[in-house]
Amino acid sequence: MPDDAPAATTSRSATLWSLARGVLVGGAEALPGISGGTVALVTGVYETAVTGAGHAVTAARLALTDRARARAELARVRWSVIVPLLIGIVPGLLVTVRFLAPLLDEHPVPLYGLFLGMTAAALVVPVRMAGGRWTAGEVARALVVAAIVFVLVGLPPQHLSPTYPVVLVAAAVAACALALPGTSGSFLLLTFGLYQPTLAAVNDRDWGYVAVFLAGMVLGLACFVKALQWLLEHRRRPALVLLSGVMAGALRALWPWQEDDRTLLAPGDQAGLAAAMFALGAAAVLGLIAAERRSRALPDAG
């Protein structure tokens, strides 16, 4: 066997891992309440994706005025991670929309119990990434952010008309949630009353709607990701404290027992099953965290 065979095998393993992470991120984003950003954080690709997107946005802005700098920005993107990640997002999104999203309507309590367990366990990731002991001020800031997000995700759903301008703005806002762990773009679409129209547009191949939606997502990400990139590069610890608060507050959206207007209820039917699914979700996330830690030994793993 050639001397470079082990390196090639390791590189393929890293690529497959990034592809799998993309599938998980895409699948998460198609489900209301669970966040693709959370999955990216758990699988260790969040910072790579955010900083890479930030460099790509800068390169696009400089493309017509300073091509040398644009090329330099693109060279800073870890394409060996980003490309398979993006490729994996597409099938993950489409398969979830086609097969898993309908199950959420049929079995909401156990599935939201699963998602609640997954997100609650994922809270250990930004806390661990921040490193060291938190100060009283950091704990207070995280709690304030959590309280604000708790209130926001409890707002009752609206019923906006799916006109193209509305779809464009809603997709831009949902894209911001895609980049922020703990918040779900699909949940925001549900709040706007555009979740079912968007699912229908994908399943019915309404390419006009899909094109406007994708344009809105690109616009939202371009406006939001640069701020996240700057925070992670220059204010990393405060940013992780902020993300921890967002994830904690967003747990409200995953409580399995809620009225249609998102009023919280005491545990009711299927409480035992929901508890079991909570434990399963937490265990799955802890397993992903362990897999990500093992993958750090692989080149270009993220």
Side-chain angles (χ1 to χ4, degrees):
M1 182 176 292
D3 292 340
D4 61 350
T9 300
T10 300
S11 180
R12 285 195 295 271
S13 297
T15 299
L16 289 174
W17 174 228
S18 292
L19 186 68
R21 289 188 288 196
V23 172
L24 293 173
V25 169
E29 271 307 310
L31 296 171
I34 189 167
S35 166
T38 299
V39 174
L41 193 66
V42 167
T43 56
V45 77
Y46 180 74
E47 289 186 83
T48 298
V50 169
T51 55
H55 291 310
V57 169
T58 301
R61 179 172 55 83
L62 295 172
L64 297 178
T65 58
D66 193 336
R67 293 185 179 180
R69 285 183 60 196
R71 287 193 294 270
E73 287 291 328
L74 288 176
R76 298 176 68 183
V77 180
R78 297 189 62 186
W79 295 109
S80 60
V81 175
I82 297 300
V83 170
L85 181 75
L86 292 175
I87 292 173
I89 285 175
V90 176
L93 181 66
L94 294 178
V95 169
T96 302
V97 167
R98 182 69 179 86
F99 298 105
L100 298 183
L103 291 177
L104 192 60
D105 293 329
E106 298 172 9
H107 309 285
V109 171
L111 286 180
Y112 274 117
L114 176 73
F115 302 154
L116 183 63
M118 293 173 67
T119 306
L123 265 171
V124 304
V125 179
V127 173
R128 179 183 296 172
M129 289 172 64
R133 187 173 181 176
W134 284 30
T135 66
E138 288 173 333
V139 172
R141 284 192 290 274
L143 290 176
V144 168
V145 171
I148 293 172
V149 173
F150 185 91
V151 172
L152 291 177
V153 299
L155 295 176
Q158 306 300 310
H159 299 284
L160 302 180
S161 176
T163 62
Y164 282 175
V166 171
V167 170
L168 183 74
V169 174
V173 175
C176 295
L178 171 65
L180 196 62
T183 59
S184 164
S186 295
F187 181 80
L188 291 181
L189 290 178
L190 199 62
T191 301
F192 300 144
L194 295 177
Y195 180 71
Q196 291 300 334
T198 302
L199 286 185
V202 174
N203 288 327
D204 297 341
R205 296 176 176 82
D206 183 348
W207 300 123
Y209 186 109
V210 171
V212 172
F213 188 87
L214 290 176
M217 289 192 68
V218 170
L219 178 64
L221 281 173
C223 294
F224 189 65
V225 76
K226 288 299 295 180
L228 271 179
Q229 178 195 15
W230 187 89
L231 285 171
L232 289 172
E233 291 181 346
H234 300 282
R235 297 289 187 272
R236 189 172 185 272
R237 185 176 175 88
L240 291 170
V241 170
L242 172 69
L243 293 179
S244 300
V246 171
M247 291 177 64
L251 290 174
R252 184 197 195 284
L254 299 173
W255 182 248
W257 300 277
Q258 301 189 35
E259 297 280 9
D260 291 340
D261 64 356
R262 295 182 178 164
T263 299
L264 299 181
L265 302 173
D269 294 340
Q270 299 182 296
L273 179 57
M277 295 298 283
F278 178 95
L280 178 63
V285 166
L286 294 177
L288 280 175
I289 294 172
E292 188 278 325
R293 293 182 68 181
R294 287 195 299 269
S295 75
R296 292 178 186 177
L298 301 177
D300 295 325

